């Protein structure tokens, strides 16, 4: 594939057979991929395409699993702190509320968006996009939602929040008696499912499936 | 050969190729309907604007306390750096290192790194495009991790809530710090990485 990059006269090749790297704008012939193969840009090494066996089935299963985990992860206690017989709990949601009530509305909004709203919206977009492909309906809506998903991607920060939980556990360890809650397990599960989902949904294939006509679905 | 030289534009969102239509000012992608451009419009000016704003907020973010821990009524305000020092004093070196990297090194590296990319695109610099794209990808990837301290504050404020016995309050440095993280992330998104390769091949200036 890299050799084809230097082929002269690429202007004459039909558009469907060409691809360009979104990061360095190199024009090349679209590589033919086998299942499981990945194509990288020969100039800058950006990942261009990845061909997966199936998207819809595993994708659906993972999105539903993530949505089931979402609510316990955000609303069940992550940890309890016991200081001289008084017990307090922390959930993702109570963190947002406490910031809001202590006059830090701005940060409360940032935390709410990055740890709760965006991850949920991402999952809902993925669910809708997969449904559009599976049922071959409302493709334009699917396109709009998949675009939304790509704009949201950067702003979901579940993994950073998990590291925040770990740092907090260590900071609190000396202060009082600490016990971990079921919310933490759900949160970690949600994170794993979400990363897996990201691996399953190959963007290039989703875009193709969204732009394909009826009966060409996979 | 660049797609731009063949009169083709890659969609920013779905990576579909579109033929440039000279008659149209605002062209949309034939597949997903997003605006397509040869290069992001005013990428350099916008990135500079976001970067300078972030740099201005970087000072209060580091100088003002991000939280105050009150024990039995007496409070100690903590800045980002003093939080790291406290962790290290208690012998928690690995966590102190993680917080130091996420809250001090990463934001500083991002401010310097994006400025360096902008400079190197505007005037030809000795850094090779390959090195520059690695810097860019690293900045894009690592940006979100600086939010770590903000999440720690959210968790501590919620759980250390024992009235007059002990409590944690967020400080104004946290607002400035969260703004720095958001602004530098926006700056990385606004920067068009294709500019890195443009001025090395054609010798044209794109600013």
């Amino acid at each position: 594939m890299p050799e084809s990059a230097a082929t002269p006269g690429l202007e004459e090749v039909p558009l469907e057979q060409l691809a360009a790297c979104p990061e360095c704008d190199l024009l090349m012939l679209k590589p033919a991929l086998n299942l499981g193969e990945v194509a990288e840009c020969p100039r800058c090494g950006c990942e261009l395409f990845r061909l997966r066996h199936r998207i819809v089935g595993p994708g659906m299963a993972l999105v539903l699993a993530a949505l089931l985990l979402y609510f316990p992860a955000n609303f069940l206690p992550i940890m309890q702190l016991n200081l001289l017989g008084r017990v307090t709990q922390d959930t993702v949601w109570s963190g947002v509320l406490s910031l809001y009530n202590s006059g830090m509305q701005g940060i409360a909004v940032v935390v709410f968006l990055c740890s709760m709203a965006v991850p949920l919206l991402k999952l809902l977009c993925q669910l809708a996009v997969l449904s559009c492909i599976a049922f071959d309906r409302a493709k334009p809506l699917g396109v709009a939602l998949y675009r939304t998903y790509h704009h949201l991607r950067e702003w979901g920060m579940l993994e950073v929040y998990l590291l925040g939980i770990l740092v907090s556990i260590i900071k609190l360890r000396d202060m009082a008696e600490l016990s971990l809650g079921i919310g933490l397990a759900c949160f970690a599960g949600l994170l794993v499912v979400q990363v897996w989902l990201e691996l399953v949904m190959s963007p290039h294939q989703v875009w193709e499936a969204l732009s394909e006509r009826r009966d060409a679905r996979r | 050969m660049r797609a731009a030289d063949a009169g083709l534009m890659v969609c920013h969102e779905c990576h579909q190729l579109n033929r440039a239509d000279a008659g149209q000012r605002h062209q949309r992608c034939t597949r997903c309907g997003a605006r397509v451009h040869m290069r992001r419009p005013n990428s350099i000016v916008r990135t500079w604007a976001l970067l300078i704003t972030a740099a201005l907020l970087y000072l209060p973010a580091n100088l003002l306390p991000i939280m105050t821990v009150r024990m039995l009524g007496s409070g100690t305000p903590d800045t980002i750096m003093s939080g790291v020092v406290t962790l290290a004093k208690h012998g928690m070196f690995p966590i102190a290192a993680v917080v130091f990297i996420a809250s001090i090194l990463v934001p500083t590296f991002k401010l310097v790194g994006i400025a360096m990319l902008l400079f190197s695109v505007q005037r030809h610099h000795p850094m090779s495009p390959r090195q520059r794209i690695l810097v860019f990808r690293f900045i894009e990837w690592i940006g979100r991790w600086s939010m770590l301290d903000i999440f720690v504050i959210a968790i501590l404020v919620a759980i250390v809530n024992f009235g007059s016995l002990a409590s944690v309050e967020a400080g104004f440095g946290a607002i400035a710090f969260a703004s720095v993280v958001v602004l530098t992330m926006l700056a990385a998104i606004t920067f068009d990485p294709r500019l890195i390769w443009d001025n090395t091949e054609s010798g044209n200036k794109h600013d």
Side-chain angles (χ1 to χ4, degrees), chain A residues 5 10-11 13 15 18-27 43-46 79-81 83-84 86-90 94-95 98-99 102 104 107 110-111 114-115 143 147 150-151 153-157 159-161 163-165 167-168 170-175 178 207-208 211, chain B residues 1-4 6 8 10 13-15 17-19 31-35 38-39 67 71 87 90 92 95 98-99 130 133 136-137 140 144-145 147-148 150-163 165-166 170-172 174-175 178 182 185-186 189 193-194 197 201:
Chain A
L10 279 178
E11 302 99 318
V13 178
L15 213 54
L18 289 173
C21 172
E23 279 198 6
C24 76
D25 214 28
L26 180 73
L27 192 64
R43 179 160 71 169
C44 75
C46 167
M79 51 189 153
Q80 292 95 19
L81 199 63
L83 186 68
L84 306 174
R86 282 187 64 185
V87 178
T88 55
Q89 288 182 334
D90 167 58
S94 76
S98 313
L99 278 177
S102 65
M104 291 281 156
I107 318 188
V110 171
V111 174
C114 297
S115 63
V143 166
R147 275 177 58 195
H150 278 284
H151 285 285
R153 253 177 73 165
E154 290 273 298
W155 302 97
M157 303 188 189
E159 67 275 39
V160 184
Y161 200 97
L163 188 62
I165 295 173
V167 172
S168 311
I170 293 174
K171 279 198 172 192
L172 292 168
R173 217 178 32 182
D174 290 346
M175 188 176 171
L178 187 74
W207 282 120
E208 298 260 287
S211 57
Chain B
M1 176 186 218
R2 296 179 308 162
L8 297 174
V10 199
E13 314 213 350
C14 75
H15 302 170
L17 281 173
N18 292 268
R19 261 188 220 294
R31 176 157 75 180
C32 75
R35 280 266 180 87
M38 281 292 175
R39 296 292 176 263
M67 62 175 168
M71 293 286 251
L87 278 172
H90 285 76
M92 298 182 256
I95 283 294
V98 168
V99 176
R130 187 88 205 183
I133 199 83
F136 173 73
R137 282 195 199 134
E140 239 190 347
R144 54 229 310 282
W145 289 96
M147 211 56 110
L148 177 69
I150 299 294
F151 292 145
V152 171
I153 293 169
I155 295 166
L156 292 186
V157 167
I159 199 164
V160 185
N161 185 9
F162 299 99
L165 211 53
F172 283 98
I175 297 177
V182 170
M185 281 180 69
L186 287 173
I189 294 173
R194 292 174 292 188
W197 303 85
E201 293 217 330

Side-chain angles (χ1 to χ4, degrees), chain A residues 4-44:
Chain A
S4 62
T7 325
L10 279 178
E11 302 99 318
E12 276 88 61
V13 178
L15 213 54
E16 302 76 55
Q17 292 170 28
L18 289 173
C21 172
E23 279 198 6
C24 76
D25 214 28
L26 180 73
L27 192 64
M28 62 200 108
L29 289 173
K30 198 180 259 180
L33 287 186
N34 293 321
L35 273 182
E37 278 185 343
V38 181
E40 282 180 2
C41 171
R43 179 160 71 169
C44 75

Side-chain angles (χ1 to χ4, degrees), chain A:
Chain A
M1 193 267 288
E3 293 77 33
S4 62
T7 325
L10 279 178
E11 302 99 318
E12 276 88 61
V13 178
L15 213 54
E16 302 76 55
Q17 292 170 28
L18 289 173
C21 172
E23 279 198 6
C24 76
D25 214 28
L26 180 73
L27 192 64
M28 62 200 108
L29 289 173
K30 198 180 259 180
L33 287 186
N34 293 321
L35 273 182
E37 278 185 343
V38 181
E40 282 180 2
C41 171
R43 179 160 71 169
C44 75
C46 167
E47 182 181 314
L48 299 174
F49 308 108
R50 180 186 287 272
L51 202 61
R52 298 218 167 255
H53 186 45
R54 285 181 310 147
I55 292 181
V56 175
M60 275 293 196
L62 289 168
V63 167
L64 293 176
L67 285 172
L68 281 179
L69 284 168
Y70 179 86
F71 292 94
N74 284 290
F75 296 100
L76 287 186
I78 289 171
M79 51 189 153
Q80 292 95 19
L81 199 63
N82 185 336
L83 186 68
L84 306 174
R86 282 187 64 185
V87 178
T88 55
Q89 288 182 334
D90 167 58
T91 66
V92 178
W93 175 236
S94 76
V96 173
L97 274 188
S98 313
L99 278 177
Y100 194 87
N101 292 332
S102 65
M104 291 281 156
Q105 285 88 352
I107 318 188
V109 170
V110 171
V111 174
F112 173 70
L113 288 177
C114 297
S115 63
M116 295 181 73
V118 172
L120 180 62
L121 283 175
K122 274 171 65 184
L123 289 173
L124 293 177
C125 283
Q126 284 170 315
L127 179 68
V129 167
L130 287 169
S131 314
C132 289
I133 298 174
F135 301 114
D136 210 12
R137 291 272 161 81
K139 293 278 179 78
L141 179 69
V143 166
L145 289 173
Y146 201 49
R147 275 177 58 195
T148 314
Y149 167 78
H150 278 284
H151 285 285
L152 291 174
R153 253 177 73 165
E154 290 273 298
W155 302 97
M157 303 188 189
L158 292 183
E159 67 275 39
V160 184
Y161 200 97
L162 189 67
L163 188 62
I165 295 173
L166 294 181
V167 172
S168 311
I169 288 173
I170 293 174
K171 279 198 172 192
L172 292 168
R173 217 178 32 182
D174 290 346
M175 188 176 171
E177 200 182 311
L178 187 74
S179 56
L180 301 180
I182 184 81
L184 180 59
C186 296
F187 196 90
L190 175 61
L191 178 61
V192 170
V193 174
Q194 200 215 274
V195 170
W196 193 355
L197 188 60
E198 208 120 303
L199 291 175
V200 165
M201 285 180 72
S202 143
H204 149 74
Q205 273 169 290
V206 173
W207 282 120
E208 298 260 287
L210 282 173
S211 57
E212 265 169 19
R213 304 282 159 265
R214 191 172 274 279
D215 72 47
R217 74 181 114 131
R218 77 195 53 158

Side-chain angles (χ1 to χ4, degrees), chain B residues 56-76:
Chain B
L56 289 177
L57 283 165
Y58 180 78
L59 291 177
N62 281 285
L63 297 176
L64 292 181
I66 52 165
M67 62 175 168
T68 306
V69 182
R70 282 186 204 286
M71 293 286 251
L72 301 169
S74 63
T76 48

